[in-house]
């Protein structure tokens, strides 16, 4: 199955939302409809966030969202925030193709670092991540901010 990765386009809207909702459900995150609409608009106007879609057999089968930021010790880093592949397409190279496309974009934009997070229980994804990257060993903490869900 050939996989074509390209920036998300207007025609991808319905399939993108289905995948985005499936991703958030996988993460056990409930968002209002307005969050999907807002994120879609931001992706389309490219206000600092980027979206790529993996296409196979004429269908969007995977998505990734990423952004660039400065850092204290590097001038440009790339954070891969979301990565989701349809369950029936996993193990077919879709996620790897999306990661490699983000890496290519990171190189094009002069990033010296590409990184992402995953849950420790996400063994399927971690099996791939262990092949294409190195685990940093860091543990993430989230401080509760106004409007966020409290920890625990």
């Amino acid at each position: 199955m050939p996989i074509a990765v390209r920036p998300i386009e207007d025609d991808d809207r319905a399939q993108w939302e289905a995948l985005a909702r499936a991703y958030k459900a996988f993460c056990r995150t409930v968002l209002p409809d307005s969050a999907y609409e807002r994120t879609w608009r931001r992706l389309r106007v490219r206000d600092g966030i980027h979206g790529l879609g993996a296409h196979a057999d004429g269908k969007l089968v995977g998505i990734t969202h990423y952004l660039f930021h400065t850092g204290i010790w590097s001038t440009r880093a790339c954070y891969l925030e979301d990565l989701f592949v349809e369950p029936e397409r996993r193990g077919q190279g879709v996620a790897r193709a999306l990661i490699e496309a983000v890496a290519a974009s990171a190189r094009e934009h002069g990033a010296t670092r590409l990184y992402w997070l995953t849950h420790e229980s996400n063994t399927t994804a971690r099996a791939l991540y262990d092949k294409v990257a190195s685990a940093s060993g860091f543990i993430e903490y989230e401080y509760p901010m106004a409007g966020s869900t409290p920890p625990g």
Side-chain angles (χ1 to χ4, degrees), residues 9 12 25 27 33 55 75-76 94 105 123-124 127 134 136 140 147 149:
E9 298 175 352
D12 296 324
C27 294
D33 292 343
H55 296 261
T75 56
R76 193 108 165 126
V94 177
S105 180
T123 56
T124 301
S134 351
S136 67
E140 178 190 23
T149 305

Side-chain angles (χ1 to χ4, degrees), residues 71-130:
I72 303 301
W73 305 109
S74 65
T75 56
R76 193 108 165 126
C78 180
Y79 176 55
L80 191 161
E81 186 165 339
D82 304 326
L83 176 65
F84 186 78
V85 173
E86 286 185 335
E88 60 273 11
R89 298 292 184 142
R90 292 180 186 158
Q92 299 175 16
V94 177
R96 182 186 292 262
L98 286 165
I99 291 169
E100 293 300 334
V102 173
S105 180
R107 284 189 289 275
E108 289 170 18
H109 286 86
T112 57
R113 180 174 182 232
L114 167 59
Y115 69 104
W116 61 89
L117 305 170
T118 194
H119 195 274
E120 64 186 351
S121 66
N122 192 355
T123 56
T124 301
R126 290 181 65 196
L128 170 63
Y129 300 162
D130 287 344

Side-chain angles (χ1 to χ4, degrees), residues 27-46:
C27 294
R28 296 183 179 103
T29 302
V30 177
L31 295 174
D33 292 343
S34 61
Y36 295 97
E37 182 59 36
R38 182 174 49 253
T39 298
W40 177 254
R41 280 195 313 262
R42 291 183 65 209
L43 286 167
R44 297 309 301 134
V45 299
R46 293 179 171 87

